[in-house]
């Protein structure tokens, strides 16, 4: 019974937050609704026994959305004074969403720890007492697909090194940072004490 209630709770919040993400006019609000949808989708994955996918949704997607949030803040001209002014107006809605998240966490943990969890995993083809999907995935990655896994890691490493090389390439008109000179610079060489007369500016 708890699993069914938790499923309908997570599913309804996913649908509602997805709709609000689409129809919200403020891009920052859309990102926050999207994060809420990802959290509830992770709860659905936990209910069916796919805890690895749930962890990916929270770690990868929510983390990526947080980076997207930073890009939105940096690239768009957002009036933070106006956002702070409307804080008290949206405070009841924020408290309601926080309460919903707390209730979802309680029901999710209860559904995970309840005795009916084996029935939920058996319904999706996972026999009771079988290794978890994380253990099975790790066994496949480091036995049958170990060379493909290492090849994917090498490709990502080459891509990362290539991005660093392209960033540090020599370009005309761009001053390159010299960390050693900055560290070795003395305070007396970087500052100059002056005593300008009253009414006169400082010569640069």
């Amino acid at each position: 019974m708890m699993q069914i209630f938790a499923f309908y709770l997570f599913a309804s919040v996913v649908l509602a937050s997805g709709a609000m993400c689409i129809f919200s006019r403020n891009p920052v609000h859309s990102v926050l609704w999207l994060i809420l949808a990802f959290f509830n989708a992770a709860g659905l994955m936990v209910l069916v026994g796919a805890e690895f996918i749930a962890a990916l949704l929270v770690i990868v997607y929510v983390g990526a959305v947080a980076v997207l949030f930073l890009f939105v803040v940096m690239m768009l001209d957002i009036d933070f004074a106006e956002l702070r002014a409307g804080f008290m107006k949206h405070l009841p809605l924020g408290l309601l969403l926080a309460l919903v998240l707390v209730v979802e966490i309680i029901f999710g943990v209860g559904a995970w720890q309840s005795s009916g969890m084996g029935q939920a995993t058996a319904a999706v083809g996972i026999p009771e007492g079988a290794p978890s999907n994380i253990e099975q995935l790790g066994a496949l990655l480091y036995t049958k697909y170990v060379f493909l896994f290492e090849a994917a890691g090498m490709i990502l490493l080459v891509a990362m090194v290539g991005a660093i090389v392209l960033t540090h390439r020599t370009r005309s008109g761009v001053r390159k940072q010299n960390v050693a000179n900055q560290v070795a610079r003395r305070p007396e060489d970087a500052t100059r004490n002056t005593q300008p007369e009253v009414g006169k500016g400082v010569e640069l």
Side-chain angles (χ1 to χ4, degrees):
M1 184 64 184
M2 184 178 292
Q3 289 81 13
I4 297 176
F5 183 80
F7 168 77
Y8 282 111
L9 178 64
F10 288 141
S12 59
V13 176
V14 165
L15 294 177
S17 57
M20 292 301 298
C21 177
I22 296 173
F23 293 110
S24 180
R25 295 185 177 182
N26 193 323
V28 178
H29 295 168
S30 296
V31 172
L32 295 177
W33 285 114
L34 187 60
I35 291 176
L36 181 62
F38 282 147
F39 271 114
N40 287 273
L44 290 174
M45 294 297 105
V46 170
L47 289 180
V48 298
E51 63 273 6
F52 180 73
I53 300 178
L56 284 182
L57 279 172
V58 174
I59 297 173
V60 178
Y61 284 92
V62 175
V65 168
V67 175
L68 175 64
F69 174 77
L70 293 178
F71 277 103
V72 169
V73 171
M74 289 188 296
M75 297 180 65
L76 298 181
D77 187 13
I78 299 175
D79 190 0
F80 287 97
E82 183 180 355
L83 292 178
R84 294 191 188 97
F87 175 76
M88 296 303 298
K89 182 177 67 175
H90 298 290
L91 182 61
L93 178 60
L95 293 177
L96 178 61
L97 290 177
L99 180 62
V100 169
L101 284 176
V102 171
V103 172
E104 288 180 343
I105 291 173
I106 293 174
F107 276 100
V109 173
W112 177 260
Q113 294 179 348
S114 64
S115 59
M117 195 61 204
Q119 300 174 0
T121 54
V124 294
I126 303 175
E128 188 175 359
S132 63
N133 58 352
I134 296 180
E135 294 176 353
Q136 296 178 8
L137 182 62
L140 284 176
L141 284 180
Y142 294 106
T143 55
K144 185 177 181 180
Y145 300 105
V146 60
F147 295 110
L148 295 177
F149 183 70
E150 292 181 354
M154 289 299 298
I155 292 173
L156 293 175
L157 178 62
V158 170
M160 182 178 65
V161 172
I164 295 173
V165 170
L166 290 176
T167 304
H168 287 81
R169 71 183 187 274
T170 303
R171 289 172 290 180
S172 60
V174 178
R175 297 181 61 183
K176 190 174 181 181
Q177 182 183 16
N178 194 325
V179 180
N181 291 340
Q182 292 178 351
V183 173
R185 192 175 186 183
R186 299 180 302 172
E188 52 269 20
D189 296 336
T191 59
R192 180 168 58 94
N193 295 326
T194 60
Q195 295 180 354
E197 299 180 3
V198 178
K200 293 185 179 181
V202 179
E203 296 181 0
L204 299 178

